[in-house]
Amino acid sequence: MTTTVITLDPAGQIHGLPTYPWQGAPQGMATRRQLAQLGLRKNGQDPAAQLLRPRRRRPPLVAYLYRIDLAAPRRPFTDAKRAAVHTAARSRQVCQGPCGRRDLGYIPPELTGRRCWQCWDQANTTTGGR
Ligand SMILES: [Zn+2]
């Protein structure tokens, strides 16, 4: 399986930070929430990159990315516990919409009915018009 990663601004020339589309987080980077799911904290590092999700009529949604290799454990984790946390997080990264994608890389929010952003956007553009 291959994933196409479209980088908006990998050099950070436009936005000041390397910038990627919402689902295009580079390997080895995670949001604060994802770090927490891995039992990690950002350990004082500044954001290494950001994800942008365009929104209609509003400024884009921003998620800051931190380097996993610079993160520190929140507390001592046994390998078993770490694996359990990882598996639990993964099992929730499933789109409940038509695409049914697994391994979204994020947990679809309640707001979208646990659908991925693509399904949500699609539903909004096809049925959202008044
Ligand atoms: Zn979907």
Side-chain angles (χ1 to χ4, degrees):
M1 197 182 88
T2 56
T3 322
T4 309
V5 177
I6 308 153
T7 53
L8 297 177
D9 180 22
Q13 286 167 337
I14 303 166
H15 301 284
L17 269 178
T19 300
Y20 301 88
W22 199 250
Q23 294 177 22
Q27 286 286 322
M29 291 193 191
T31 64
R32 242 171 119 165
R33 181 179 282 199
Q34 287 166 341
L35 286 178
Q37 284 167 357
L38 297 171
L40 300 170
R41 59 190 164 86
K42 68 188 178 84
N43 201 20
Q45 63 175 299
D46 290 325
Q50 64 182 351
L51 300 179
L52 285 187
R53 188 175 111 75
R55 296 186 293 185
R56 286 184 209 103
R57 286 180 235 106
R58 281 187 291 171
L61 211 58
V62 179
Y64 292 112
L65 291 172
Y66 300 93
R67 286 175 53 180
I68 292 173
D69 59 339
L70 294 181
R74 256 192 320 184
R75 55 195 144 121
F77 255 60
T78 64
D79 282 347
K81 194 167 175 188
R82 189 190 302 275
V85 168
H86 197 69
T87 305
R90 289 258 145 168
S91 68
R92 295 172 61 200
Q93 294 176 4
V94 176
C95 172
Q96 303 297 319
C99 85
R101 268 182 64 192
R102 292 166 180 279
D103 247 22
L104 287 172
Y106 61 94
I107 297 171
E110 218 146 26
L111 163 76
T112 68
R114 301 281 177 219
R115 290 173 292 178
C116 74
W117 291 113
Q118 276 166 355
C119 287
W120 191 61
D121 274 343
Q122 249 163 37
N124 277 0
T125 41
T126 52
T127 64
R130 271 184 283 177

